[in-house]
Amino acid sequence: MSKIKVTPSEFQVLSKYILEVSGIALAAGKEYLVETRLSNIMDALQCPSYNDLYSKAKRDHTHDIEKKIIDAISTNETYFFRDNTPFDLIQHKLIPDLIDRRSKNTGILQKTGIRIWSSASSTGQEIYSISMILKDMGIDYTRYNIKLLATDISDAAIAQASYGKYNRFEVTRGLSKQRLERYFNPDGDYWRIKDEIRAMVTFKKLNLMKPFTGLGKFDMILCRNVAIYFTAQDRKMLFERISEMLEPDGVLIIGSTESLTNEISFFQPQRYLNSTFYVRK
Ligand SMILES: C[S@@+](CC[C@H](N)C(=O)[O-])C[C@H]1O[C@@H](n2cnc3c(N)ncnc32)[C@H](O)[C@@H]1O
């Protein structure tokens, strides 16, 4: 592992670059993060300094180094049914209410459909938790025309999510034995999500700092544990754009430890049991 230290001026340049390409804000004091997470890339590219890494990244028209830096710097921590209560909320309130409203509004569910977006999906546990809930509920995907979209900025995270393969540690986190056996197939030392669950989801690379072109509108958006890495200004801009991506009765779910204090003008908070969700204003 590279033992090269990042100098204050290199940290300034690199953190500005990382902010530009990903929205991830590295405040002073996060020098260790740059040193620990970028050391493998420094070694692989034989960079004598962080300035050299920056120059190589800027000169690289394939954007391959940029991708590697984003993969390394982003925190992909996630697990199945993370925090539990949002998934109880989805299962016991949001999905039944949506189905009810869609049935009343149109009488023809196929025409309206239900669209759910996991907007910083990391390695897929969040969106697969929703697929499993929908299966548990016995919901007929075709009848309700349910579409699940999962996006993330990290190529590596999206690749794993799309492949749906998890190691022993990952499947012990948040997943009951029943669901593991019901929805996964053993694959050597790994477990692979069954095709019937995998097929429900479309995975796509997407940077939340860039325009959401061509995504359409959603009935439910999850934007959990990602905005904490952005500046206050970027957070506000992001949640305003997310509110515009919601159907008039669409809902937003954020991380259990997050709040929308500065972005509340776009949403109406609502409580259900121990969860808060946000309806578009
Ligand atoms: C801590 S994980 C959260 C995963 C999941 N939402 C959860 O709560 O368990 C944060 C994810 O946000 C992604 N991310 C960071 N910056 C992003 C950006 N600008 N656009 C899209 N995704 C981003 C990271 O790659 C990472 O996978």
Side-chain angles (χ1 to χ4, degrees), residues 29-179:
K30 297 275 167 130
E31 289 80 358
Y32 70 93
L33 217 109
V34 165
E35 287 165 1
T36 48
R37 297 204 178 165
L38 300 187
S39 65
N40 284 346
I41 307 175
M42 292 278 284
D43 286 347
L45 298 175
Q46 300 182 329
C47 299
S49 68
Y50 284 91
N51 264 341
D52 183 59
L53 174 65
Y54 171 71
S55 316
K56 283 190 168 119
K58 290 295 275 186
R59 281 199 311 267
D60 171 21
H61 298 300
T62 66
H63 295 284
D64 195 46
I65 301 177
E66 176 186 307
K67 284 183 205 156
K68 289 197 169 104
I69 291 177
I70 294 175
D71 281 348
I73 221 74
S74 58
T75 301
N76 301 126
E77 164 71 0
T78 188
Y79 46 92
F80 292 102
F81 297 93
R82 183 175 191 171
D83 304 328
N84 283 318
T85 49
F87 296 95
D88 291 341
L89 166 76
I90 292 172
Q91 175 163 9
H92 299 296
K93 170 139 185 81
L94 299 182
I95 294 287
D97 281 3
L98 260 173
I99 288 182
D100 198 37
R101 281 201 304 276
R102 291 294 175 271
S103 319
K104 282 192 185 121
N105 282 349
T106 66
I108 315 163
L109 291 160
Q110 288 89 330
K111 280 217 168 141
T112 322
I114 292 175
R115 301 192 71 226
I116 301 175
W117 176 25
S118 162
S119 68
S121 65
S122 186
T123 39
Q125 285 87 331
E126 185 171 273
I127 199 73
Y128 286 139
S129 300
I130 297 179
S131 318
M132 286 186 258
I133 284 178
L134 294 167
K135 275 275 174 193
D136 285 349
M137 291 171 79
I139 291 181
D140 180 344
Y141 262 63
T142 340
R143 171 150 184 252
Y144 294 107
N145 192 12
I146 298 181
K147 297 265 192 306
L148 306 183
L149 173 70
T151 62
D152 199 281
I153 196 176
S154 160
D155 283 271
I158 280 294
Q160 183 185 341
S162 171
Y163 202 53
K165 193 168 160 176
Y166 299 95
N167 64 29
R168 275 172 201 272
F169 175 62
E170 288 166 323
V171 296
T172 56
R173 301 182 77 202
L175 207 55
S176 67
K177 196 166 175 285
Q178 289 81 352
R179 280 191 175 129

